[in-house]
PDB file of all heavy atoms in Angstrom:
ATOM      1  N   ASP V 199     103.275 -15.617  38.462  1.00  0.00           N
ATOM      2  CA  ASP V 199     104.090 -14.453  38.688  1.00  0.00           C
ATOM      3  C   ASP V 199     105.432 -14.565  37.929  1.00  0.00           C
ATOM      4  O   ASP V 199     105.992 -13.528  37.614  1.00  0.00           O
ATOM      5  CB  ASP V 199     104.500 -14.472  40.262  1.00  0.00           C
ATOM      6  CG  ASP V 199     103.321 -14.122  41.099  1.00  0.00           C
ATOM      7  OD1 ASP V 199     102.349 -13.472  40.571  1.00  0.00           O
ATOM      8  OD2 ASP V 199     103.342 -14.382  42.355  1.00  0.00           O
ATOM      9  N   ALA V 200     105.897 -15.776  37.648  1.00  0.00           N
ATOM     10  CA  ALA V 200     107.186 -15.978  36.901  1.00  0.00           C
ATOM     11  C   ALA V 200     106.894 -15.756  35.368  1.00  0.00           C
ATOM     12  O   ALA V 200     107.820 -15.879  34.565  1.00  0.00           O
ATOM     13  CB  ALA V 200     107.777 -17.316  37.168  1.00  0.00           C
ATOM     14  N   GLY V 201     105.652 -15.625  34.928  1.00  0.00           N
ATOM     15  CA  GLY V 201     105.362 -15.431  33.481  1.00  0.00           C
ATOM     16  C   GLY V 201     104.576 -16.492  32.821  1.00  0.00           C
ATOM     17  O   GLY V 201     104.265 -16.332  31.598  1.00  0.00           O
ATOM     18  N   SER V 202     104.094 -17.499  33.548  1.00  0.00           N
ATOM     19  CA  SER V 202     103.332 -18.535  32.869  1.00  0.00           C
ATOM     20  C   SER V 202     101.882 -17.989  32.465  1.00  0.00           C
ATOM     21  O   SER V 202     101.258 -17.324  33.216  1.00  0.00           O
ATOM     22  CB  SER V 202     103.104 -19.799  33.707  1.00  0.00           C
ATOM     23  OG  SER V 202     104.354 -20.351  34.001  1.00  0.00           O
ATOM     24  N   LEU V 203     101.480 -18.341  31.256  1.00  0.00           N
ATOM     25  CA  LEU V 203     100.100 -18.091  30.845  1.00  0.00           C
ATOM     26  C   LEU V 203      99.267 -19.158  31.452  1.00  0.00           C
ATOM     27  O   LEU V 203      99.566 -20.381  31.347  1.00  0.00           O
ATOM     28  CB  LEU V 203      99.957 -18.138  29.293  1.00  0.00           C
ATOM     29  CG  LEU V 203      98.683 -17.812  28.689  1.00  0.00           C
ATOM     30  CD1 LEU V 203      98.859 -17.285  27.217  1.00  0.00           C
ATOM     31  CD2 LEU V 203      97.705 -18.994  28.622  1.00  0.00           C
ATOM     32  N   LEU V 204      98.009 -18.804  32.064  1.00  0.00           N
ATOM     33  CA  LEU V 204      97.212 -19.748  32.754  1.00  0.00           C
ATOM     34  C   LEU V 204      95.968 -19.901  31.880  1.00  0.00           C
ATOM     35  O   LEU V 204      95.400 -18.962  31.300  1.00  0.00           O
ATOM     36  CB  LEU V 204      96.790 -19.231  34.069  1.00  0.00           C
ATOM     37  CG  LEU V 204      97.917 -19.013  35.055  1.00  0.00           C
ATOM     38  CD1 LEU V 204      97.383 -18.509  36.366  1.00  0.00           C
ATOM     39  CD2 LEU V 204      98.773 -20.241  35.373  1.00  0.00           C
ATOM     40  N   ALA V 205      95.540 -21.183  31.637  1.00  0.00           N
ATOM     41  CA  ALA V 205      94.407 -21.516  30.885  1.00  0.00           C
ATOM     42  C   ALA V 205      93.419 -22.526  31.731  1.00  0.00           C
ATOM     43  O   ALA V 205      93.917 -23.618  31.973  1.00  0.00           O
ATOM     44  CB  ALA V 205      94.677 -22.121  29.537  1.00  0.00           C
ATOM     45  N   GLY V 206      92.297 -22.084  32.062  1.00  0.00           N
ATOM     46  CA  GLY V 206      91.360 -22.891  32.830  1.00  0.00           C
ATOM     47  C   GLY V 206      90.223 -23.305  32.093  1.00  0.00           C
ATOM     48  O   GLY V 206      89.516 -22.458  31.497  1.00  0.00           O
ATOM     49  N   CYS V 207      89.827 -24.546  32.037  1.00  0.00           N
ATOM     50  CA  CYS V 207      88.673 -25.069  31.342  1.00  0.00           C
ATOM     51  C   CYS V 207      87.738 -25.630  32.309  1.00  0.00           C
ATOM     52  O   CYS V 207      88.026 -26.457  33.200  1.00  0.00           O
ATOM     53  CB  CYS V 207      89.108 -26.230  30.359  1.00  0.00           C
ATOM     54  SG  CYS V 207      87.839 -26.782  29.324  1.00  0.00           S
ATOM     55  N   GLU V 208      86.427 -25.106  32.206  1.00  0.00           N
ATOM     56  CA  GLU V 208      85.339 -25.560  33.127  1.00  0.00           C
ATOM     57  C   GLU V 208      85.802 -25.469  34.618  1.00  0.00           C
ATOM     58  O   GLU V 208      86.255 -24.499  35.045  1.00  0.00           O
ATOM     59  CB  GLU V 208      84.956 -26.954  32.760  1.00  0.00           C
ATOM     60  CG  GLU V 208      83.960 -26.953  31.518  1.00  0.00           C
ATOM     61  CD  GLU V 208      82.587 -26.539  31.800  1.00  0.00           C
ATOM     62  OE1 GLU V 208      82.382 -25.260  31.892  1.00  0.00           O
ATOM     63  OE2 GLU V 208      81.783 -27.356  31.968  1.00  0.00           O
ATOM     64  N   GLU V 209      85.785 -26.639  35.298  1.00  0.00           N
ATOM     65  CA  GLU V 209      86.112 -26.620  36.771  1.00  0.00           C
ATOM     66  C   GLU V 209      87.642 -26.156  36.943  1.00  0.00           C
ATOM     67  O   GLU V 209      87.975 -25.670  38.046  1.00  0.00           O
ATOM     68  CB  GLU V 209      85.946 -28.026  37.384  1.00  0.00           C
ATOM     69  CG  GLU V 209      84.519 -28.343  37.527  1.00  0.00           C
ATOM     70  CD  GLU V 209      84.026 -29.105  36.294  1.00  0.00           C
ATOM     71  OE1 GLU V 209      84.714 -29.194  35.291  1.00  0.00           O
ATOM     72  OE2 GLU V 209      82.800 -29.588  36.397  1.00  0.00           O
ATOM     73  N   GLY V 210      88.404 -26.276  35.859  1.00  0.00           N
ATOM     74  CA  GLY V 210      89.848 -25.806  35.958  1.00  0.00           C
ATOM     75  C   GLY V 210      89.833 -24.376  36.187  1.00  0.00           C
ATOM     76  O   GLY V 210      90.694 -23.782  36.897  1.00  0.00           O
ATOM     77  N   GLY V 211      88.794 -23.593  35.621  1.00  0.00           N
ATOM     78  CA  GLY V 211      88.766 -22.200  35.892  1.00  0.00           C
ATOM     79  C   GLY V 211      88.441 -21.856  37.355  1.00  0.00           C
ATOM     80  O   GLY V 211      88.878 -20.821  37.987  1.00  0.00           O
ATOM     81  N   LEU V 212      87.666 -22.789  38.008  1.00  0.00           N
ATOM     82  CA  LEU V 212      87.349 -22.550  39.410  1.00  0.00           C
ATOM     83  C   LEU V 212      88.607 -22.873  40.296  1.00  0.00           C
ATOM     84  O   LEU V 212      88.751 -22.290  41.295  1.00  0.00           O
ATOM     85  CB  LEU V 212      86.209 -23.545  39.841  1.00  0.00           C
ATOM     86  CG  LEU V 212      84.878 -23.316  39.141  1.00  0.00           C
ATOM     87  CD1 LEU V 212      83.809 -24.341  39.594  1.00  0.00           C
ATOM     88  CD2 LEU V 212      84.319 -21.841  39.452  1.00  0.00           C
ATOM     89  N   LEU V 213      89.457 -23.779  39.857  1.00  0.00           N
ATOM     90  CA  LEU V 213      90.649 -23.952  40.584  1.00  0.00           C
ATOM     91  C   LEU V 213      91.597 -22.719  40.492  1.00  0.00           C
ATOM     92  O   LEU V 213      92.240 -22.387  41.427  1.00  0.00           O
ATOM     93  CB  LEU V 213      91.461 -25.128  40.015  1.00  0.00           C
ATOM     94  CG  LEU V 213      90.818 -26.525  40.341  1.00  0.00           C
ATOM     95  CD1 LEU V 213      91.599 -27.683  39.793  1.00  0.00           C
ATOM     96  CD2 LEU V 213      90.641 -26.737  41.795  1.00  0.00           C
ATOM     97  N   LEU V 214      91.584 -22.125  39.322  1.00  0.00           N
ATOM     98  CA  LEU V 214      92.263 -20.755  39.156  1.00  0.00           C
ATOM     99  C   LEU V 214      91.742 -19.744  40.159  1.00  0.00           C
ATOM    100  O   LEU V 214      92.400 -18.957  40.730  1.00  0.00           O
ATOM    101  CB  LEU V 214      92.221 -20.382  37.652  1.00  0.00           C
ATOM    102  CG  LEU V 214      93.006 -21.147  36.706  1.00  0.00           C
ATOM    103  CD1 LEU V 214      92.887 -20.476  35.343  1.00  0.00           C
ATOM    104  CD2 LEU V 214      94.490 -21.422  37.033  1.00  0.00           C
ATOM    105  N   ALA V 215      90.353 -19.781  40.252  1.00  0.00           N
ATOM    106  CA  ALA V 215      89.764 -18.859  41.220  1.00  0.00           C
ATOM    107  C   ALA V 215      90.219 -19.126  42.609  1.00  0.00           C
ATOM    108  O   ALA V 215      90.465 -18.166  43.460  1.00  0.00           O
ATOM    109  CB  ALA V 215      88.172 -18.962  41.191  1.00  0.00           C
ATOM    110  N   SER V 216      90.350 -20.471  43.006  1.00  0.00           N
ATOM    111  CA  SER V 216      90.913 -20.775  44.346  1.00  0.00           C
ATOM    112  C   SER V 216      92.251 -20.343  44.597  1.00  0.00           C
ATOM    113  O   SER V 216      92.666 -20.032  45.674  1.00  0.00           O
ATOM    114  CB  SER V 216      90.763 -22.367  44.523  1.00  0.00           C
ATOM    115  OG  SER V 216      89.481 -22.827  44.469  1.00  0.00           O
ATOM    116  N   ALA V 217      93.050 -20.273  43.531  1.00  0.00           N
ATOM    117  CA  ALA V 217      94.403 -19.774  43.554  1.00  0.00           C
ATOM    118  C   ALA V 217      94.414 -18.224  43.657  1.00  0.00           C
ATOM    119  O   ALA V 217      95.526 -17.701  43.927  1.00  0.00           O
ATOM    120  CB  ALA V 217      95.183 -20.210  42.299  1.00  0.00           C
ATOM    121  N   GLY V 218      93.363 -17.526  43.501  1.00  0.00           N
ATOM    122  CA  GLY V 218      93.312 -16.127  43.641  1.00  0.00           C
ATOM    123  C   GLY V 218      93.914 -15.265  42.495  1.00  0.00           C
ATOM    124  O   GLY V 218      94.241 -14.220  42.650  1.00  0.00           O
ATOM    125  N   VAL V 219      93.906 -15.954  41.277  1.00  0.00           N
ATOM    126  CA  VAL V 219      94.528 -15.240  40.170  1.00  0.00           C
ATOM    127  C   VAL V 219      93.517 -14.627  39.137  1.00  0.00           C
ATOM    128  O   VAL V 219      93.909 -14.016  38.224  1.00  0.00           O
ATOM    129  CB  VAL V 219      95.449 -16.198  39.276  1.00  0.00           C
ATOM    130  CG1 VAL V 219      96.651 -16.687  40.183  1.00  0.00           C
ATOM    131  CG2 VAL V 219      94.661 -17.425  38.786  1.00  0.00           C
ATOM    132  N   LEU V 220      92.217 -14.752  39.548  1.00  0.00           N
ATOM    133  CA  LEU V 220      91.211 -14.144  38.612  1.00  0.00           C
ATOM    134  C   LEU V 220      90.704 -12.740  39.053  1.00  0.00           C
ATOM    135  O   LEU V 220      89.898 -12.189  38.356  1.00  0.00           O
ATOM    136  CB  LEU V 220      89.952 -15.034  38.623  1.00  0.00           C
ATOM    137  CG  LEU V 220      90.147 -16.559  38.173  1.00  0.00           C
ATOM    138  CD1 LEU V 220      88.839 -17.280  38.021  1.00  0.00           C
ATOM    139  CD2 LEU V 220      90.982 -16.563  36.882  1.00  0.00           C
ATOM    140  N   SER V 221      91.205 -12.263  40.131  1.00  0.00           N
ATOM    141  CA  SER V 221      90.793 -10.980  40.666  1.00  0.00           C
ATOM    142  C   SER V 221      90.736  -9.907  39.577  1.00  0.00           C
ATOM    143  O   SER V 221      91.851  -9.610  38.996  1.00  0.00           O
ATOM    144  CB  SER V 221      91.610 -10.587  41.903  1.00  0.00           C
ATOM    145  OG  SER V 221      91.134  -9.302  42.392  1.00  0.00           O
ATOM    146  N   GLY V 222      89.642  -9.258  39.391  1.00  0.00           N
ATOM    147  CA  GLY V 222      89.558  -8.091  38.508  1.00  0.00           C
ATOM    148  C   GLY V 222      89.512  -8.420  37.044  1.00  0.00           C
ATOM    149  O   GLY V 222      89.493  -7.589  36.175  1.00  0.00           O
ATOM    150  N   ARG V 223      89.472  -9.700  36.730  1.00  0.00           N
ATOM    151  CA  ARG V 223      89.603 -10.186  35.297  1.00  0.00           C
ATOM    152  C   ARG V 223      88.315 -10.621  34.798  1.00  0.00           C
ATOM    153  O   ARG V 223      87.423 -11.074  35.426  1.00  0.00           O
ATOM    154  CB  ARG V 223      90.649 -11.314  35.137  1.00  0.00           C
ATOM    155  CG  ARG V 223      92.003 -11.049  35.872  1.00  0.00           C
ATOM    156  CD  ARG V 223      92.688  -9.935  35.225  1.00  0.00           C
ATOM    157  NE  ARG V 223      93.220 -10.234  33.914  1.00  0.00           N
ATOM    158  CZ  ARG V 223      94.416 -10.796  33.692  1.00  0.00           C
ATOM    159  NH1 ARG V 223      95.170 -11.105  34.807  1.00  0.00           N
ATOM    160  NH2 ARG V 223      94.845 -11.047  32.500  1.00  0.00           N
ATOM    161  N   SER V 224      88.108 -10.448  33.478  1.00  0.00           N
ATOM    162  CA  SER V 224      86.893 -10.963  32.761  1.00  0.00           C
ATOM    163  C   SER V 224      87.176 -12.398  32.444  1.00  0.00           C
ATOM    164  O   SER V 224      88.220 -12.786  31.895  1.00  0.00           O
ATOM    165  CB  SER V 224      86.715 -10.202  31.515  1.00  0.00           C
ATOM    166  OG  SER V 224      85.578 -10.707  30.751  1.00  0.00           O
ATOM    167  N   VAL V 225      86.225 -13.256  32.953  1.00  0.00           N
ATOM    168  CA  VAL V 225      86.456 -14.791  32.800  1.00  0.00           C
ATOM    169  C   VAL V 225      85.303 -15.478  32.351  1.00  0.00           C
ATOM    170  O   VAL V 225      84.167 -14.977  32.608  1.00  0.00           O
ATOM    171  CB  VAL V 225      87.062 -15.357  34.059  1.00  0.00           C
ATOM    172  CG1 VAL V 225      88.429 -14.694  34.494  1.00  0.00           C
ATOM    173  CG2 VAL V 225      86.054 -15.181  35.238  1.00  0.00           C
TER     174      VAL V 225
END
Side-chain angles (χ1 to χ4, degrees):
D199 288 342
S202 298
L203 184 157
L204 302 180
C207 183
E208 283 284 81
E209 291 87 356
L212 297 178
L213 290 180
L214 295 182
S216 296
V219 297
L220 303 187
S221 180
R223 310 298 288 271
S224 177
V225 298

